[in-house]
Amino acid sequence: DFADRMKEIKHALSDEAQPASERQQQQQQEGAQAAGGSAAGAGLGLSDKEALCDELLDIVQSVDCARDLHKIGGLPTLLSLMSSPHPSLRWRAAEITATCMANNPPVQRWFMEGGALPPLLGLLADLNVVVRTKAVLALSALVRHYGPGLEAFRLAGGLTKLLALLGCSGVDAAVEAAEAASADAGSAGGQQLGTAAATSGDSQAGGAAVAAAEDEEAADERWVQQRSQHRRLTRKVLALVHYMLLKHPADRLAAAEYGIVSQLQSCLDSAPDSDMRQAALSVLVELLADPGAWQWVQQHAGQQGLEQQLLRLQRQHAELGAEDREAEAEEGQLVGQCIAALQAGQPPAGGSTGAGDGAAGMEDHVDLDPYQDGGERAEKAVSLRQPQQRQQQQQQQ
């Protein structure tokens, strides 16, 4: 029974972030039996807790199990794990939270009301890149098709936090500094070992040289993995920023003023594949569709340099073979849209439809919670009209 198993996992994980004094008091209150169970949970090693999180993640892939996890009080446990001293537990808690909320309106609402947003926002500043990536994943699951979640994220400074992540993504300064330090250490170590081997001929120095070479290889592998993780973070951030600007156009000018254009240009320069470039270009298309953001780009963002960069991408796309050009057709289309917008003599017609009232963010809001509990309400039909249908109905009225 998945419900019983989730209860067991929840109980085993609940002690991770609980202070020892509270744990002792809880044991005294709950009696010897509960104390024994809590002690068992506290005795679990890190690898055991990671395995339990992985098992829980598999279980909540089911929409019904995700809802059941909330009903048995699983959210407080996940929130506690987000403050764990172990990054592997923090990112697993964020990933489980994301999986529970994804395409699951009732859980989005329950987790929002249960206080999931503040700790997830805190994880955006985590020193571990995997934790930051999973936090973005969870925030995306919270705000997509859930208007209150999107609005709360906006009011909490979500856009600026995402843009800050863009500024330190890719091969950021921290990664480059770590790489330089590793290279310097390896070089110095190699020189010292070479001198020792030359002067003493000691075989131990040769063994140390081999160990140093292995350490340097391991460091290079870690750096490659970290760079890959930063790129994954960048793609997820770009996707969420695009969704926010699409659903709340009033934020496009603010994004331009915060300096997103230069960050997008950096992404286009360093993008390892077409998917990354498409993500950056999609955000740029949204910016250039807004009159205010378009004017800002023309006046402040080095429009000539941006246009030249896009023209270069267009030429590179045209030089691709027929098969590759077809595979990257969407990227070519986005590049063309951006160039046409930049070369236009006047800003795009119309204004921001998002106003400032959050109406745009509610366009695709789906809240099915009233229909999840059975009974009379469950017999009602849920009408999810498309925006065009809603507009036609408003005109008829």
Side-chain angles (χ1 to χ4, degrees):
D1 188 308
F2 286 135
D4 290 339
R5 182 54 183 160
M6 284 194 294
K7 291 179 182 178
E8 294 173 357
I9 294 174
K10 169 187 172 296
H11 184 72
L13 294 174
S14 292
D15 289 324
E16 173 59 27
Q18 188 179 24
S21 58
E22 293 183 10
R23 196 159 53 236
Q24 183 178 5
Q25 182 180 5
Q26 180 180 357
Q27 291 174 359
Q28 293 174 350
Q29 292 176 349
E30 294 179 354
Q33 182 177 0
S38 183
L44 291 176
L46 176 59
S47 60
D48 296 324
K49 293 181 179 181
E50 291 173 349
L52 288 175
C53 287
D54 292 340
E55 181 182 354
L56 183 59
L57 178 65
D58 289 337
I59 293 175
V60 298
Q61 299 284 345
S62 163
V63 171
D64 291 334
C65 289
R67 297 173 187 172
D68 289 341
L69 179 63
H70 167 75
K71 294 176 181 177
I72 65 172
L75 178 59
T77 300
L78 294 177
L79 299 184
S80 294
L81 288 173
M82 290 182 196
S83 62
S84 166
H86 305 292
S88 60
L89 294 182
R90 295 199 300 274
W91 72 253
R92 281 177 168 85
E95 185 173 23
I96 294 170
T97 303
T99 303
C100 288
M101 292 189 294
N103 301 313
N104 202 338
V107 180
Q108 286 176 302
R109 175 181 170 183
W110 296 335
F111 278 25
M112 177 73 181
E113 295 175 347
L117 180 59
L120 288 175
L121 289 172
L123 292 183
L124 291 180
D126 199 281
L127 296 178
N128 186 283
V129 63
V130 181
V131 176
R132 297 199 301 272
T133 303
K134 299 301 183 180
V136 174
L137 179 68
L139 288 166
S140 179
L142 173 63
V143 306
R144 287 183 182 274
H145 312 300
Y146 182 56
L150 176 59
E151 190 63 15
F153 182 54
R154 288 184 60 255
L155 294 176
L159 181 61
T160 58
K161 295 179 185 297
L162 292 177
L163 297 183
L165 284 177
L166 275 183
C168 64
S169 294
V171 187
D172 64 358
V175 180
E176 291 178 349
E179 181 191 38
S182 175
D184 292 342
S187 176
Q191 292 176 357
Q192 293 174 358
L193 289 171
T195 302
T199 56
S200 67
D202 191 349
S203 61
Q204 186 175 3
V210 173
E214 292 176 350
D215 290 342
E216 184 176 354
E217 183 178 353
D220 290 341
E221 183 177 354
R222 286 194 300 271
W223 182 82
V224 170
Q225 293 175 350
Q226 191 173 24
R227 185 169 75 166
S228 176
Q229 287 290 348
H230 276 81
R231 286 172 172 170
R232 187 175 294 111
L233 171 62
T234 299
R235 283 194 293 268
K236 293 187 181 300
V237 170
L238 288 172
L240 184 50
V241 169
H242 175 255
Y243 181 82
M244 293 183 69
L245 299 184
L246 179 66
K247 296 303 175 184
H248 205 280
D251 288 338
R252 295 171 182 170
L253 176 57
E257 293 174 341
Y258 289 146
I260 190 174
V261 176
S262 61
Q263 294 170 352
L264 294 176
Q265 289 183 265
S266 177
C267 290
L268 290 174
D269 279 336
S270 61
D273 51 44
S274 181
D275 288 341
M276 177 79 82
R277 291 191 294 272
Q278 286 183 37
L281 290 166
S282 296
V283 176
L284 187 56
V285 166
E286 290 300 324
L287 290 176
L288 297 176
D290 180 80
W294 182 91
Q295 291 179 341
W296 196 95
V297 171
Q298 296 285 347
Q299 297 171 6
H300 303 282
Q303 181 263 349
Q304 291 296 328
L306 176 59
E307 185 177 337
Q308 291 302 317
Q309 184 180 27
L310 293 170
L311 289 171
R312 184 169 61 252
L313 286 175
Q314 191 177 54
R315 288 194 299 270
Q316 293 174 355
H317 186 267
E319 294 171 358
L320 293 174
E323 185 175 346
D324 291 337
R325 189 164 58 250
E326 182 179 358
E328 299 181 9
E330 184 176 350
E331 177 188 342
Q333 182 180 3
L334 291 170
V335 169
Q337 291 178 9
C338 292
I339 293 174
L342 286 173
Q343 293 179 343
Q346 56 185 6
S352 297
T353 59
D357 57 3
M362 298 294 291
E363 276 187 0
D364 66 341
H365 170 63
V366 179
D367 187 358
L368 302 183
D369 183 54
Y371 305 93
Q372 303 304 326
D373 302 326
E376 181 180 352
R377 291 180 298 175
E379 298 176 359
K380 298 180 181 179
V382 182
S383 175
L384 301 179
R385 297 187 299 274
Q386 298 298 320
Q388 184 178 3
Q389 293 174 313
R390 287 197 298 269
Q391 184 178 4
Q392 292 175 352
Q393 184 181 21
Q394 291 172 357
Q395 292 174 351
Q396 292 174 357
Q397 293 175 347

